[in-house]
Amino acid sequence: MIIEAMVVHLLVALWHPWAALILSMLTLALVGWFSLFIRSLRRHPVRVDAEGLTWPIGSLRSLTVPWRQVAGLRVDWTLKELRAAGVFNGALVAHPNIVVALDPPVQAGRGSIPSLAHRLDEPSAFAALFSTWTEAMRSGLSTSPEAND
């Protein structure tokens, strides 16, 4: 990709030097924004807490779902289902390894979101924490699963 960009910049520079300068500035700005976005993926992790699930896509977008709308983890899904309209996919280009079903779906803008999908580093740890929180929230014993031990 870098070689292609260099060739394009060279060809544009031969055609018009000012256009090449503007193209270079736009390319640098885009590379800077993209690197900041990639770093934001680690700073904005998926959160499970007393309010519910916070499902971010880096610093681009985030969705918070209250516990009353969380139906549970889906154990089997197809890529076709995940590509369907309405799935909030935080994995972007990767194949998700966690899918959470919502009932009722979350309203966002003009549409509704029936499921959340994401690619997590440790899906088994998330599943364990998720089940602990859902049990605590459904039993109504406490707002923290650690307090119920």
Side-chain angles (χ1 to χ4, degrees):
M1 184 170 130
I2 293 174
I3 294 173
E4 292 170 352
M6 288 173 46
V7 169
V8 168
H9 284 250
L10 177 66
L11 292 174
V12 171
L14 292 174
W15 171 67
H16 199 283
W18 283 102
L21 180 64
I22 292 170
L23 182 63
S24 296
M25 301 274 257
L26 289 173
T27 301
L28 285 174
L30 182 63
V31 167
W33 176 85
F34 195 62
S35 64
L36 288 173
F37 170 69
I38 290 172
R39 288 179 39 197
S40 78
L41 293 172
R42 287 219 183 262
R43 286 193 312 263
H44 300 282
V46 171
R47 288 190 312 272
V48 179
D49 56 20
E51 278 93 46
L53 297 174
T54 302
W55 216 255
I57 302 176
S59 58
L60 282 181
R61 187 173 176 199
S62 181
L63 181 68
T64 301
V65 180
W67 283 112
R68 67 182 179 279
Q69 288 182 269
V70 175
L73 289 176
R74 290 183 55 188
V75 292
D76 56 342
W77 63 87
T78 64
L79 193 55
K80 184 178 179 182
E81 290 174 343
L82 294 181
R83 289 185 179 159
V87 173
F88 189 82
N89 190 354
L92 298 177
V93 296
H95 185 71
N97 55 8
I98 291 287
V99 177
V100 177
L102 304 176
D103 187 30
V106 173
Q107 297 301 316
R110 293 184 212 166
S112 63
I113 298 172
S115 299
L116 305 172
H118 218 303
R119 176 87 186 172
L120 302 178
D121 293 335
E122 297 182 31
S124 58
F126 174 81
L129 181 64
F130 179 84
S131 66
T132 303
W133 273 101
T134 52
E135 303 244 346
M137 290 297 123
R138 291 178 192 201
S139 67
L141 297 175
S142 168
T143 58
S144 171
E146 292 83 15
N148 295 324
D149 291 335

